[in-house]
Amino acid sequence: MNQWIVNKTANKTESRAMAVVCRWVMGLALTVASIAPVQAADVALSKEAIEGALKAAYDKYKNLDEGANADYIPALAKVDSNIYGIALVTTDGELYTVGDISSEVSIQSISKVYTMALVMDEQGPKTFLDNMGVDATGHVFNSIVAIEQYQGAEMNPLVNAGAITTTGLVTGKDYDGIWSKILAKYEQFAGRELTVLNDIYESEAATNQRNQAIASLMHAYGHIDDNFLRATDIYTRQCSVGVNAKDLGMMAATLANGGKNPVTGEQVTQTENIPEILAVMATAGLYDDAGKWLYKTGLPAKSGVGGGIVAVSPGKFGIAVISPPLDAAGNSVRAQKAIADISNALGGNPYEITPQ
């Protein structure tokens, strides 16, 4: 009998507890998503307020000299650390930017959110509960210990083990078919054609032995099929897609707008899946500091070691910042500070409710 099945059977009580917690988090996300449009009507997001908030945050942090580029992928160490751009897109399709919004960096782990959305559209939210789970692991994003602890369960789609598994769940007749589907989904979110940064892909593919080991373990415990190395390579390719701050702002705003791209008008992902997507972003989006981030901002968000962060104020706006220097947890230093300031200035925290 599959060892993973044995483990699940032996821990029925624990699994039931996990399901209760997941339902609670998702229910909270539903409540927040339903509250946010009311708040958006109460707090006017004027052009002047948004432009002022972006300029203030940009100016405040443009000379900040903290953090360092990721270097465990050699090509990331060579990315211009001075890139700094902010983009905010409202749910009615207005775009506001400041700084460098044309330079592209690799999307890296931000891609995990949008592959999760693709699989959720195809197979439903329960797929994740039944496979890798939706819990924060308490370990680093590429932990092998976290896999062994529960034999690949009780994790989430935003750590590497869960993300590679999620990529392995995308349907398609072959490598090219799967990849085309993933890239097309990203392009729908961004509202334009995207391409892979080949220097990043080649550098990452040459140094991803740990991810190959992670995929092998997830395969051993029954979470990924026999094509686990293919899943790893496609995952590496998806992390190497080039995006600028405007692209990421659009991708965040599409989530803020119930899965409908507010500029193109295309329904990119199913509205009923947005609460689950945002719930996972809220609990696991900023690596080891996800809890600290949510405590300070209330915003579901996702970072990538390429230097980008996307954040979502449900029913109001999506915001993104690109700045490659990272802190010890792997999150952009400038991006965290700028998004927090802008959200605070615009009333973006969905948990801040004015008593009636």
Side-chain angles (χ1 to χ4, degrees):
M1 181 180 293
N2 186 293
Q3 187 66 28
W4 177 46
I5 302 300
V6 173
N7 183 65
K8 287 184 70 181
T9 304
N11 290 281
K12 287 183 178 179
T13 301
E14 197 171 281
S15 296
R16 285 196 295 270
M18 182 193 76
V20 170
V21 171
C22 291
R23 285 195 295 270
W24 180 85
V25 171
M26 292 175 185
L28 180 61
L30 279 165
T31 301
V32 169
S34 65
I35 289 171
V38 175
Q39 290 182 314
D42 292 341
V43 181
L45 293 175
S46 69
K47 179 176 185 289
E48 294 75 16
I50 295 174
E51 289 179 342
L54 265 64
K55 184 178 187 305
Y58 180 81
D59 290 344
K60 183 177 180 180
Y61 300 115
K62 65 182 179 182
N63 294 319
L64 185 68
D65 185 20
E66 294 180 19
N69 285 29
D71 59 6
Y72 72 96
I73 300 169
L76 293 183
K78 301 175 183 178
V79 174
D80 183 359
S81 60
N82 293 313
I83 296 171
Y84 179 33
I86 305 173
L88 183 150
V89 183
T90 62
T91 53
D92 59 0
E94 295 298 320
L95 169 67
Y96 300 87
T97 65
V98 64
D100 184 347
I101 62 163
S102 61
S103 293
E104 292 186 352
V105 300
S106 53
I107 191 171
Q108 295 297 331
S109 286
I110 296 171
S111 68
K112 298 170 181 177
V113 172
Y114 301 98
T115 304
M116 173 174 62
L118 171 58
V119 172
M120 208 173 282
D121 282 345
E122 289 187 339
Q123 303 175 37
K126 193 172 182 294
T127 296
F128 298 95
L129 287 172
D130 291 343
N131 193 307
M132 80 291 292
V134 292
D135 282 341
T137 67
H139 296 277
V140 295
F141 69 95
N142 61 352
S143 173
I144 289 175
V145 173
I147 301 173
E148 291 288 10
Q149 185 174 7
Y150 297 111
Q151 299 186 347
E154 307 214 19
M155 305 183 75
N156 65 76
L158 301 186
V159 295
N160 285 15
I164 295 168
T165 301
T166 300
T167 298
L169 291 172
V170 177
T171 59
K173 65 178 183 179
D174 54 23
Y175 185 112
D176 290 341
I178 294 169
W179 171 243
S180 295
K181 184 183 291 187
I182 291 172
L183 183 60
K185 179 63 72 174
Y186 295 0
E187 291 174 338
Q188 289 175 310
F189 272 101
R192 75 173 183 102
E193 291 185 3
L194 302 173
T195 58
V196 171
L197 302 178
N198 284 320
D199 61 326
I200 302 293
Y201 168 70
E202 291 170 3
S203 179
E204 195 161 352
T207 56
N208 71 350
Q209 288 80 16
R210 187 179 184 89
N211 278 346
Q212 293 178 42
I214 285 171
S216 181
L217 270 178
M218 293 299 282
H219 169 64
Y221 289 130
H223 297 276
I224 308 181
D225 65 19
D226 291 340
N227 290 311
F228 61 93
L229 289 179
R230 181 180 71 181
T232 306
D233 190 66
I234 295 176
Y235 168 77
T236 303
R237 190 175 294 276
Q238 79 179 41
C239 288
S240 305
V241 169
V243 287
N244 57 40
K246 178 183 174 183
D247 297 329
L248 292 180
M250 291 276 286
M251 296 174 86
T254 300
L255 295 175
N257 194 41
K260 184 177 183 179
N261 186 309
V263 174
T264 67
E266 183 178 6
Q267 188 69 43
V268 177
T269 196
Q270 295 174 24
T271 300
E272 57 267 31
N273 293 336
I274 295 299
E276 285 85 349
I277 294 170
L278 297 184
V280 178
M281 291 174 68
T283 56
L286 262 71
Y287 303 124
D288 299 352
D289 284 350
K292 294 176 184 177
W293 170 261
L294 191 65
Y295 190 83
K296 289 189 287 189
T297 70
L299 300 179
K302 186 69 193 84
S303 62
V305 295
I309 295 181
V310 297
V312 177
S313 181
K316 288 187 174 183
F317 58 80
I319 183 170
V321 177
I322 289 178
S323 175
L326 313 177
D327 62 15
N331 302 311
S332 170
V333 178
R334 280 199 192 102
Q336 291 176 82
K337 293 178 181 294
I339 292 173
D341 282 11
I342 293 166
S343 177
N344 288 339
L346 300 177
N349 189 334
Y351 295 104
E352 290 183 350
I353 308 299
T354 302
Q356 299 298 316

